[in-house]
Structures are given as structure tokens and as C-alpha cells.
Amino acid sequence: MYMIDPFGRTISYLRVSVTDRCDFRCTYCMAEDMAFLPKKDLLSLEELDRLCTVFVEKGVRKLRLTGGEPLVRKNIMHLVRQISRHLESGALEELTLTTNGSQLSRFAAELADCGVKRINVSLDTLDPEKFRQITRWGNLDKVMDGIDAAQAAGLKVKLNAVALKDFNDAELPEMLRWAHGRGMELTVIETMPMGEIDADRTDQYLPLSLLRAALERQFTLTDIPYKTGGPARYVHVAETGGRLGFITPMTHNFCESCNRVRLTCTGTLYMCLGQEDAADLRAPLRASEGNELVADAIDEAIGRKPKGHDFIIDRRTNRPSVSRHMSVTGG
């Protein structure tokens, strides 16, 4: 079975936000004084597993757990272990995780034991003071310990860095050398206009076309066709021998090849990160012990997946393109 959207794209990738909570308050992602969802509004781990199973039965081959910070969800490894049965059966090709790294030292070995092969770690700077500034509450040493634990457990680590003008742009060449020196890939991401934050995103926004031009003054970058199933476009870096990814939702969107949908911890399905349209899967999930109703709701939602997003960042557009924060939908 396959899910095909109105534009002929096969939907084979599900991102599941298991919680909107996070132990960081990154300035481009959240306001410092965030109001999180009441715990009673969240799907149980059993309900999340049931929904994931329906998606796998409908053709999802790659599943990524996100947040907030997924590893702060109580008993999260129970969910990981439940979903991993689809890896064992061959129905699911890959189970991955995006994390801020703060809890990795606790869970890396168990993630590997559950069949997770690679993870993404969000890391925007290697400077401890700047790290605390950008995360507000974060401790860089804990993240570094987590990365060490992940690599020791045999997990392949890819770093995600949001490119922020006048904050980490000058540091990214050194981050690239450091990541590749440790056998890790690095992907840089343009900041996206999601949710009200305490800063003006026009002050943060750095087009990756400018960053690439700056990097090419130090590195030889060659476009390559490598894909991981996500939206990044990759280059080979001759001087380091590693890969560098660019995720450019603003300057060069990747909507034409979008193969993914996003499920929140409340059972809301977003067909596009940059649109408000969504489908409630919690009600049909709880209305029957069978999965027919929720499967029909998924089909209806996929049938209205839009062609692309409407992200805008400029001085004339003061409001975010969508009202929800990234932590609600998952990155």
C-alpha cells in the first residue's frame, strides 16, 4: 500500500513529535516563557504506537521521532522499542531520532539496541557561552557527552545547525572541520518563521546561498546526488572528505519532492510544515478499537496535502507564517 498525494508524490516518511516539551529554549524556536500542552491532551505512548503502525501499514518506510525534545518524554524508550518491531519485520526501513543531545548519554546504547542506526543532533555552536545564550538553559558539556555516547554505541551522528546571521555564521567553517574530523556529517538550515519568539527573525535570517558563497572561499564544494529521504541537498567537501547538507526552505524550497507528513503528540496530522491545514486523528483513533476510521482519516488528509509552503521572512512581514512553534509540529 502507498499513500499518493494530489501532486503524485508518494508519502513514505512520517515525523512524529512525541512531546512539545524541551529542556532547552532555543531563541529561534521558542519564547523563554513557553506554555506547554497539558499532559492530559497528549496521546498515550500506546496510542502513538498504534498511529505509527497504521502509517507503516499504509506505506511509511522511514519514521523519525522528534519533539520538543523526544528524550524528555516519560518512558520514551518503551515507544521506541514498540516501533522497532516494524524494523524487525522489514515493514519499516529506518527508525531515527532528532534530539538536542542533552539526554543522549542516558539513552544512546538502548537506542542502538532497538535498531536505531543514526540520529540527528541539533547543535548551533561549539562555544559554551554562545551555546548557553542560544539555548538559554543548555549545557554544552552534556551535549558533547551525549555525542560521545552515541558514537560509542555505534550510532551514526549527523549534526544540524541553524544558520544565524551575526551569531554562528563565522563559526560554521570550524564546525564543519570539527564534525568531519569526527566522522559526522553537518547540515545547515535556514531559520523558519514559525511561532512568536522574543526576537525579530529578520535579524537572524541568513540565506544559505550567502553562506555557501562564504564557505567556498575556504572549501571546494561539489554538488552530489546523495539523499537520505529528507529535504537536504548535499555537497562533497574536498578538503575534509565529508558531506555538507543545505536545507533551504526560504531561498530554494524542496516542496516538489516532499515525501513527508508530521504527526503531533496530540494526534494532529500536518500535511505541510508551512501550512495551518491539519487533520485530527485522535478522534477517529479513540472512536473505535479498529483502525478503519483512522485509516480513512489519513487518506482524506493526504488527499489535500498542498503543493508547498508559504514561508516569508522580510521586514514587511512581522507575523510568523504559521502560528504554532516548531516544537509543536516537530522539526
Side-chain angles (χ1 to χ4, degrees):
M1 295 181 64
Y2 296 98
M3 296 179 288
I4 309 295
D5 78 359
F7 303 94
R9 299 170 296 195
T10 299
I11 308 306
S12 58
Y13 181 6
L14 176 67
R15 301 177 70 108
V16 183
S17 175
V18 298
T19 178
D20 66 325
R21 295 173 183 267
C22 187
D23 49 352
F24 292 176
R25 295 291 183 274
C26 294
T27 57
Y28 54 81
C29 180
M30 293 186 185
E32 185 167 11
D33 186 21
M34 282 292 293
F36 292 114
L37 294 165
K39 291 183 179 180
K40 64 180 178 60
D41 291 348
L42 272 59
L43 294 180
S44 68
L45 296 178
E46 291 70 24
E47 288 174 323
L48 283 168
D49 174 47
R50 186 176 156 201
L51 277 177
C52 289
T53 297
V54 175
F55 275 99
V56 171
E57 291 172 349
K58 295 180 74 63
V60 160
R61 293 295 173 261
K62 177 177 177 180
L63 197 153
R64 179 178 295 277
L65 300 180
T66 69
E69 168 48 47
L71 294 179
V72 301
R73 174 81 191 251
K74 187 176 180 181
N75 296 325
I76 184 59
M77 292 310 303
H78 173 72
L79 176 63
V80 175
R81 197 161 290 281
Q82 287 297 107
I83 295 174
S84 71
R85 72 188 185 277
H86 300 302
L87 291 172
E88 296 171 4
S89 73
L92 189 66
E93 294 175 2
E94 185 177 41
L95 174 61
T96 63
L97 182 89
T98 294
T99 174
N100 64 25
S102 66
Q103 308 298 316
L104 264 181
S105 58
R106 295 172 55 200
F107 294 115
E110 191 173 358
L111 286 167
D113 187 58
C114 289
V116 175
K117 302 295 185 186
R118 66 187 187 98
I119 59 172
N120 290 2
V121 177
S122 300
L123 183 64
D124 301 319
T125 177
L126 299 177
D127 182 297
E129 289 305 314
K130 289 172 69 175
F131 183 82
R132 185 169 292 278
Q133 178 186 343
I134 196 71
T135 63
R136 293 193 180 101
W137 298 359
N139 183 326
L140 182 61
D141 288 340
K142 286 186 66 176
V143 174
M144 291 301 184
D145 289 345
I147 291 172
D148 290 342
Q151 291 193 306
L155 295 173
K156 183 178 179 182
V157 178
K158 179 169 77 69
L159 301 181
N160 289 342
V162 176
L164 299 167
K165 183 172 63 177
D166 298 328
F167 178 77
N168 64 355
D169 43 350
E171 186 184 353
L172 287 169
E174 184 54 35
M175 285 191 68
L176 178 63
R177 293 186 183 94
W178 176 78
H180 287 180
R182 291 196 49 165
M184 299 183 290
E185 292 180 15
L186 174 67
T187 293
V188 287
I189 308 171
E190 288 175 338
T191 187
M192 287 175 269
M194 298 186 66
E196 294 286 1
I197 59 173
D198 299 329
D200 184 341
R201 282 195 173 89
T202 54
D203 293 332
Q204 300 177 319
Y205 173 54
L206 175 64
L208 293 192
S209 55
L210 297 182
L211 176 63
R212 177 166 178 164
L215 289 173
E216 286 180 325
R217 291 194 283 271
Q218 300 185 45
F219 302 100
T220 306
L221 308 182
T222 305
D223 292 308
I224 56 175
Y226 176 75
K227 287 286 186 182
T228 64
R233 294 179 172 92
Y234 287 90
V235 298
H236 177 263
V237 184
E239 288 75 9
T240 65
R243 283 190 293 256
L244 171 64
F246 295 93
I247 296 181
T248 53
M250 306 303 299
T251 55
H252 183 187
N253 75 53
F254 34 80
C255 302
E256 73 281 353
S257 59
C258 183
N259 64 342
R260 67 199 75 76
V261 290
R262 290 169 168 83
L263 178 68
T264 76
C265 55
T266 62
T268 301
L269 182 69
Y270 285 96
M271 290 71 78
C272 174
L273 182 64
Q275 301 280 3
E276 295 284 14
D277 187 34
D280 175 23
L281 301 186
R282 181 172 59 185
L285 181 75
R286 293 179 174 176
S288 171
E289 292 185 2
N291 292 331
E292 294 82 3
L293 292 178
V294 73
D296 289 344
I298 292 170
D299 288 340
E300 192 276 334
I302 299 300
R304 63 175 200 265
K305 181 173 169 64
K307 189 173 183 179
H309 63 67
D310 296 321
F311 285 146
I312 299 172
I313 294 180
D314 60 33
R315 292 291 179 189
R316 297 165 295 176
T317 309
N318 294 323
R319 302 289 296 175
S321 297
V322 294
S323 59
R324 67 187 183 278
H325 286 85
M326 179 69 83
S327 60
V328 172
T329 319

